[in-house]
């Protein structure tokens, strides 16, 4: 693959006897046609339609699209007419193009793969189409600012004259993706095409052990799975494997060989480990572990051993296919000693140590540089994965563009020879468009002028109000840099970030927004501003409910709960905000049940606890007063938490936002029961229930009821006739750990649970007659590690509902 330098990628304006300025449209009239060959690839035909559309919008002239050459013309593609003019795509980089004026016409051509045809790297090359989009940007002034009907900036051009030109351009990176911002949804996908995202080098990378190894294999092959504290750990969640086991690696290789045999067009398969910790401690694996330069334990040599073993075996059958493997987390540092990699192994550096604005800081930049440069010295088969300038948020908080980070990052990726970039974009285009725009432009040309691109975006996106909106983003950028430099920041707008960055700036952001709104005249620019305004409405709601907004001061962004819900519920497929598609699979949890209020008189008493994530409560009203659920110790972690109330028949009767300043009220009658489903994401909170007996579903998370940092006793009702009971604790051992005591209905201890050496500990208890009643798990800190994210679980023998308030317990059983 030819790498284009910055000089080559610039326009090369060459004087010659056959070149001259070409006027395509004169005062809204044109004699030009758009020509492509009758058998042109689909991407060339699409490009012709795009060229016709935007030229007409800009100039008023509609150029005819023809399949017979006719001068003067815009000739698209590497066809016989181009060759007759002495032109061809030979020597042009994949996905690249050449634009040249010749003999009164304009030729745009590049390598174009036909339908079903692939490049040697398993991708595609729409070179001519990329050239057309460059032409429209460079010479007509079109900008694709965001997806959708209001996302284009198309200036009015009465006369369009192209100076004598011969320019060649192409992407530096052979794989350019912007996940979350660009998806399979038609509008987002088309924006990515217009920004020339794509790949001539196909890479499939993900945490993929679960695609190659079924948990069912543990029964026959426990030695394939990680050893912890002398025990092979049964696979749950992001389970870990024994990477030095030759039979395991042979099995994975054989599965991949079979896929390549069946699917000859498949050029790359991922072999990356599962996410999280809990690596194998067997002697063979442990012998390969080492200490990284920063003093942390590194398993890099062990992971590279497995990568090489699998790649070697697959390469014997399919030497022309690639295997992709992450470099990430506990295996992010290069090995202390050089390792020769198999030629069909392609690495993807996932820079988890610097996700989300950490590259504001000099210490993280130095660490990143050592890692990125070190891997580039080992292999040139390497791409890059990052979340460099993106916060995981649905709160509407505008993502700072992070210009200092982009100026640091992209030129170094180019210098070190990385061949692909997979950088998270922002789904909420109303506030994330500047970030997405710059990431897309730098994916094509990592040496582009970041400041110029940034200024161009705001001027085109918001017209006369561009200076004001850019000033607002610049303020956020500067405040975010101070925040990260001083304390490291977080991946989400937590309370500390809201307090340090967004709350102090909000009045000035609103003032600048108001000023821009009075100045903008272009209708599309006004819509784009309103899309930003929708996000500021969500941000104001977040600040207000967190007690960080001055409620005495009027704001144009103050909105009712119902308006906020309409913005985020996904019913309108909005591009503006991060929508929480009311995930109605939650209704599957709302199944008919029978309930019986109770009081638990024996055993421990309730303690302070905090829940995390999605939860499902069953509440039975105990009197004539409504049920109230107040929420304390709330940290939404960048999410607007939605609550759904279903009646006993499973009908949705109420929807609201979780608000720490106002309890949720459920109007019912005595004895009536309801289901409260909290779509919490990563949020943490403590519900306080009054007016009801209640229980909480232990199956909302696959590992059990999710506590954060504090957990109380969890009682579970065991019916008469139950012969066995399984209770469990789970944590991210060995860092995050927990211990627990299981007590029987008399309050006597029956078993101990401990998640220090392994992430899951479960106890199956055989029950004797007369042992029905309230059993209890009492989670507590262990003697090592720290107590953070802990799950308490119940087996399938009984209904999996815990009680956290023994004075207002509820027995929940399936309805007949």
């Amino acid at each position: 693959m030819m790498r284009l330098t910055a000089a080559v990628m610039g326009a090369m304006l060459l004087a010659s006897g056959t070149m001259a300025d070409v006027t395509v449209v004169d005062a809204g009239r044109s004699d030009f046609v758009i020509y492509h060959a009758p058998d042109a690839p689909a991407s060339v035909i699409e490009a012709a339609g795009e060229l016709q559309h935007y030229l007409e919008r800009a100039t008023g002239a509609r150029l005819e699209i023809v399949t017979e050459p006719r001068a003067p013309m815009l000739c698209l593609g590497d066809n016989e007419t181009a060759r007759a003019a002495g032109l061809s795509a030979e020597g042009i980089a994949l996905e690249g193009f050449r634009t040249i004026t010749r003999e009164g016409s304009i030729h745009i051509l590049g390598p174009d793969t036909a339908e079903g045809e692939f490049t040697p790297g398993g991708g595609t090359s729409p070179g001519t189409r990329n050239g057309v989009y460059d032409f429209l940007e460079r010479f007509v002034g079109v900008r694709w600012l965001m997806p959708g009907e209001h996302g284009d900036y198309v200036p009015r051009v009465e006369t369009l004259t192209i100076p004598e030109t011969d320019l060649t351009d192409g992407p530096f990176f052979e794989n350019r993706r912007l996940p979350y911002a660009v998806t399979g949804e038609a509008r987002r996908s088309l924006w990515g095409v217009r920004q020339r995202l794509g790949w001539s080098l196909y890479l499939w990378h993900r945490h993929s052990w679960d695609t190659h190894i079924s948990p069912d294999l543990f029964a026959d092959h426990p030695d394939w799975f990680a050893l912890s504290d002398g025990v092979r750990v049964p696979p749950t969640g992001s389970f870990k494997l024994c990477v030095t086991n030759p039979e395991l690696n042979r099995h994975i290789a054989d599965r991949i060989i079979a896929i390549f045999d069946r699917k000859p067009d498949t050029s790359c398969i991922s072999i990356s480990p599962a996410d999280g910790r809990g690596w194998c401690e067997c002697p063979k694996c442990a012998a390969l572990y080492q200490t990284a330069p920063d003093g942390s334990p590194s398993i890099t040599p062990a992971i590279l051993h497995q990568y090489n073993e699998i790649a070697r075996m697959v390469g014997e059958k399919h030497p022309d296919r690639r295997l992709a493997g992450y470099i990430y987390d506990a295996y992010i540092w290069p090995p202390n000693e050089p390792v020769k990699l198999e030629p069909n192994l392609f690495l993807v550096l996932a820079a988890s140590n610097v996700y989300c604005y950490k590259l504001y800081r000099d210490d993280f930049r130095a660490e990143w540089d050592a890692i990125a440069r070190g891997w580039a010295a080992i292999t040139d088969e390497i791409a890059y994965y990052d979340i460099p300038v993106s916060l995981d948020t649905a709160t509407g908080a505008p993502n700072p563009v992070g210009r200092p980070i982009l100026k640091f990052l992209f030129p170094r990726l180019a210098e070190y020879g990385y061949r692909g970039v997979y950088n998270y974009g922002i789904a909420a285009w109303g506030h994330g468009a500047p970030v997405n725009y710059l990431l897309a432009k730098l994916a094509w040309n990592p040496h582009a002028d970041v400041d110029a691109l940034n200024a161009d975006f705001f001027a085109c996106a918001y017209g006369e109000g561009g200076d004001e909106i850019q000033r607002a983003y610049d303020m956020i950028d500067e405040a975010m840099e101070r925040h990260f430099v001083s304390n490291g920041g977080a991946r989400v707008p937590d309370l500390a970030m809201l307090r340090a960055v967004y709350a102090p700036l909000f009045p000035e952001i609103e003032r600048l927004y108001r000023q821009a709104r009075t100045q903008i005249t272009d209708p599309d620019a006004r819509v784009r501003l309103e899309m930003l305004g929708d996000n500021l409405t969500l941000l104001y709601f977040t600040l207000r409910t967190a007690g960080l907004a001055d409620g005495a001061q009027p704001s144009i962004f103050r909105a009712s709960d119902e308006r906020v819900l309409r913005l985020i519920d996904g019913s309108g497929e909005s591009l503006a905000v991060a929508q929480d598609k009311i995930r109605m699979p939650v209704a599957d949890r709302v199944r008919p049940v029978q309930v019986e209020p109770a009081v638990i008189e024996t055993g421990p008493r309730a303690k302070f606890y905090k829940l995390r994530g999605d939860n499902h409560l069953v509440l039975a009203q105990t009197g004539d007063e409504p049920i109230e659920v107040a929420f304390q110790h709330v940290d939404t972690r960048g999410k607007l938490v939605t609550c759904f109330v279903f009646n006993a028949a499973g009908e949705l009767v109420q929807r609201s936002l979780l608000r720490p300043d106002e309890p949720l009220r459920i109007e019912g009658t005595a004895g009536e029961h309801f289901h409260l489903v909290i779509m919490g994401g990563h949020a943490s909170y403590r519900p306080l229930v009054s007016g009801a007996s209640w229980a909480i579903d232990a199956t909302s998370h696959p590992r059990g009821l999710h506590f954060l940092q504090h957990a109380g006793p969890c009682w579970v009702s065991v019916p008469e006739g139950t012969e066995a009971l399984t209770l469990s604790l789970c944590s991210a051992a060995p860092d995050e750990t927990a211990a627990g005591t299981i007590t029987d209905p008399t309050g006597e201890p029956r078993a101990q649970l401990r998640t220090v050496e392994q992430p899951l500990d479960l106890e199956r208890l055989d029950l004797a007659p007369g042992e029905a009643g309230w059993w209890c798990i009492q989670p507590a800190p262990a003697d090592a590690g720290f107590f953070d994210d802990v799950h308490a679980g119940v087996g399938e023998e009984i209904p999996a509902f815990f009680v956290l308030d023994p004075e207002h317990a509820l027995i929940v059983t399936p309805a007949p």
Side-chain angles (χ1 to χ4, degrees), residues 197-251:
L197 298 175
W199 54 86
S200 57
L201 171 66
Y202 174 74
L203 297 172
W204 182 61
H205 50 81
R206 64 177 294 270
H207 298 291
S208 58
W209 275 357
D210 59 346
T211 66
H212 302 308
I213 297 296
S214 168
D216 297 340
L217 291 170
F218 183 81
D220 294 328
H221 303 282
D223 55 319
W224 289 8
F225 295 82
L227 183 77
S228 178
D229 196 29
V231 177
R232 295 289 175 178
V233 181
T236 60
S238 296
F239 58 84
K240 298 299 180 291
L241 302 174
C242 178
V243 297
T244 57
N245 186 297
E247 291 183 356
L248 166 72
N249 293 334
R250 178 77 259 181
H251 177 84

Side-chain angles (χ1 to χ4, degrees), residues 250-453:
R250 178 77 259 181
H251 177 84
I252 295 174
D254 286 343
R255 281 182 56 85
I256 293 171
I257 289 169
I259 294 171
F260 283 150
D261 287 344
R262 293 195 312 271
K263 300 180 178 180
D265 289 338
T266 299
S267 59
C268 182
I269 289 177
S270 178
I271 55 173
S272 302
D275 205 350
R277 301 295 178 96
W279 306 103
C280 184
E281 298 172 359
C282 80
K284 286 183 68 176
C285 287
L288 295 175
Y289 298 165
Q290 58 188 209
T291 301
D294 66 349
S296 64
S298 171
I299 65 166
T300 297
I303 298 300
L304 292 183
H305 167 82
Q306 185 186 50
Y307 284 174
N308 266 338
E309 285 296 292
I310 296 171
R312 177 183 56 79
M313 290 184 278
V314 173
E316 291 172 355
K317 179 73 181 293
H318 294 288
D320 57 334
R321 315 291 182 91
R322 286 184 175 88
L323 301 181
Y326 281 147
I327 298 300
Y328 170 75
D329 195 34
Y331 47 104
I332 196 170
W333 282 95
N336 295 342
E337 301 296 330
V339 175
K340 181 177 175 56
L341 302 180
E342 292 293 320
N344 58 335
L345 177 61
F346 202 103
L347 301 183
V348 179
L349 171 58
S352 52
N353 59 323
V354 298
Y355 283 172
C356 302
Y357 297 98
K358 288 183 181 176
L359 284 175
Y360 278 131
R361 292 177 44 167
D362 290 340
D363 54 342
F364 281 111
R365 289 187 180 192
E367 182 176 282
W368 180 91
D369 197 72
I371 292 170
R373 188 190 296 267
W375 283 109
I378 292 173
T379 179
D380 59 3
E381 298 286 294
I382 190 165
Y384 187 70
Y385 176 125
D386 197 358
I387 312 174
V389 285
S390 173
L391 295 172
D392 182 9
T393 177
T395 63
N399 272 225
V401 176
R403 281 185 283 160
I405 293 172
L406 301 178
K407 293 175 187 178
F408 170 85
L409 178 62
F410 278 88
R412 284 167 176 80
L413 291 173
E415 178 186 349
Y416 302 157
Y418 282 73
R419 297 175 60 189
V421 284
Y422 182 95
N423 290 311
Y424 278 29
I426 299 166
W429 281 86
H431 75 81
V435 170
N436 294 337
Y437 186 83
L438 265 67
L439 287 173
K441 293 301 183 189
L442 292 167
W444 180 271
N445 177 10
H447 300 287
D449 185 328
V450 171
D451 291 335
L453 286 172

Side-chain angles (χ1 to χ4, degrees), residues 83-157:
R83 293 189 204 103
L87 305 172
S88 80
E90 186 176 350
I92 300 174
L94 290 173
E95 300 185 86
F97 58 86
R98 184 181 183 187
T99 299
I100 181 170
T101 53
R102 178 158 292 187
E103 297 177 352
S105 290
I106 300 171
H107 293 262
I108 306 173
L109 68 158
D112 299 310
T113 47
E115 190 73 26
E117 180 185 6
F118 298 97
T119 65
T124 58
S125 177
T128 298
R129 187 176 67 192
N130 289 338
V132 165
Y133 289 130
D134 175 84
F135 178 89
L136 289 168
E137 285 188 310
R138 187 186 301 267
F139 297 115
V140 185
V142 175
R143 299 292 184 268
W144 294 282
L145 303 164
M146 58 182 71
E149 62 179 315
H150 303 290
D152 301 347
Y153 169 77
V154 184
R156 184 65 182 171
V157 181

Side-chain angles (χ1 to χ4, degrees), residues 486-507:
S486 62
N487 64 20
R491 287 182 60 176
V492 296
D494 57 10
L495 288 173
M497 185 183 294
L498 291 173
R499 189 176 293 113
V501 178
Y502 292 101
L505 294 179
F506 195 85

Side-chain angles (χ1 to χ4, degrees), residues 603-611 632-633 685-688 694 705 707-715 739-741 776-781 787 803-807:
R605 296 296 85 191
K607 292 174 59 179
F608 177 76
Y609 62 86
K610 281 171 59 178
L611 301 178
Q632 297 181 339
H633 305 281
Y685 48 88
R686 185 188 184 199
L688 292 179
W694 63 287
L705 182 61
F707 293 102
L708 180 67
Q709 298 174 346
H710 304 276
C714 305
W715 290 267
T741 300
C776 184
I777 306 177
Q778 302 177 55
F787 192 94
V803 165
L804 303 179
D805 179 358
E807 303 296 323

